[in-house]
Amino acid sequence: METEWKNHNRDRTHYGFEEKEKKWQGPYFFIQAADCQLGLIQRYLEKNPTPGWQQEIALTKLAVEKINKMNQKPKFFVICGDLCDAFPAKEPALRAEQEKDLKDILSRLDPSVPLVCVCGNHDVGDQPTKQDLLSYQSSFGDDFYSFWCGGVFHIVVNSQFWFDSTLVQEEAEKQDQWLEEQLRILKTSEAKFGLIFQHIPWFLSDYEEEATVYFTLRPEIRQKWLPKFREAGVKAVFCGHYHRNAGGFFEDLEMVTTTAIGAQLGSDESGMRIVKVLSDSVEHEYFPFEKFPDSVQL
Ligand SMILES: [Fe+2]
């Protein structure tokens, strides 16, 4: 079962999917989670000055075990950012230890389930530098890319560019242009629809809500991109970052925020979301690990 860690997301795509994935083959499901964030519980919740992440190790192992135990395997497992807690630029040695432990665990995922990594603010810094991006890419692959799966077009973005791109304006511009092109592909292809994965939510429950300083993207960016997403055929955007479950709609475009595998900042329990992709809709349900099912009815 154990395999070596490999970066499958490079050259702006993900190599875990085959060419036939461009075609719809019937309903499928995948697992979405966020913020395994090795190190946050002890550093932030427990204010323990000794670095440690045994609790996140146990929870992330549980995530992998639950997926490996499923009777029918998901099409993929996506983790929407904050893979580890230590900022790469501030604490490189600690970060390296956390990444090593995380990769050891994630390498045990059943090889038939592609792992889809998304970068979070703790993976590239709140105000990323070029070096932060390079260090993420060398560890986990591209920070933005797209792939086909089951006739649906999936787009992974680096939401940190929309949070603060002061030090990486060229790269942020590159992602924006690339994203416009992905939306054009989605709109002009035979995709059933599109799905987007990112770390920071566009909004928590209401498109019109005020921006929070930390947990959502600024309204002017929301107003620029969400109408474009909708117009191109994006059905839902899946996020993390909030460490609580949340969600809402912008017209018929759904915003889904999933709580953490690791540290909880609200009353949710650690777990993962099962997302069913049906011929013209997306259904999803969050399960704490304790209640995570072995099988999924499509
Ligand atoms: Fe986080």
Side-chain angles (χ1 to χ4, degrees), residues 34-37 40 80-85 120-122 199 214-215 240-243 260 263 265:
D35 301 87
C36 31
Q37 205 165 344
L40 182 67
C80 285
D82 280 1
L83 305 169
C84 296
D85 182 60
N121 58 308
H122 280 261
H199 184 59
Y214 184 74
F215 283 116
H241 190 50
Y242 192 42
H243 293 249
L265 298 181

Side-chain angles (χ1 to χ4, degrees), residues 75-121:
K75 284 286 253 186
F76 59 89
F77 174 38
V78 55
I79 307 180
C80 285
D82 280 1
L83 305 169
C84 296
D85 182 60
F87 289 113
K90 276 193 201 154
E91 296 174 298
L94 193 62
R95 174 81 195 181
E97 282 184 56
Q98 293 174 351
E99 286 189 6
K100 186 190 172 300
D101 286 348
L102 178 67
K103 288 176 176 182
D104 279 350
I105 302 165
L106 293 178
S107 299
R108 291 164 206 232
L109 188 64
D110 188 294
S112 70
V113 183
L115 174 69
V116 175
C117 290
V118 180
C119 75
N121 58 308

Side-chain angles (χ1 to χ4, degrees), residues 8-10 12-17 114-117 145-147:
H8 291 289
N9 38 309
R10 47 197 164 81
R12 301 265 170 261
T13 190
H14 190 298
Y15 285 89
F17 303 91
L115 174 69
V116 175
C117 290
Y145 54 100
S146 61
F147 60 93

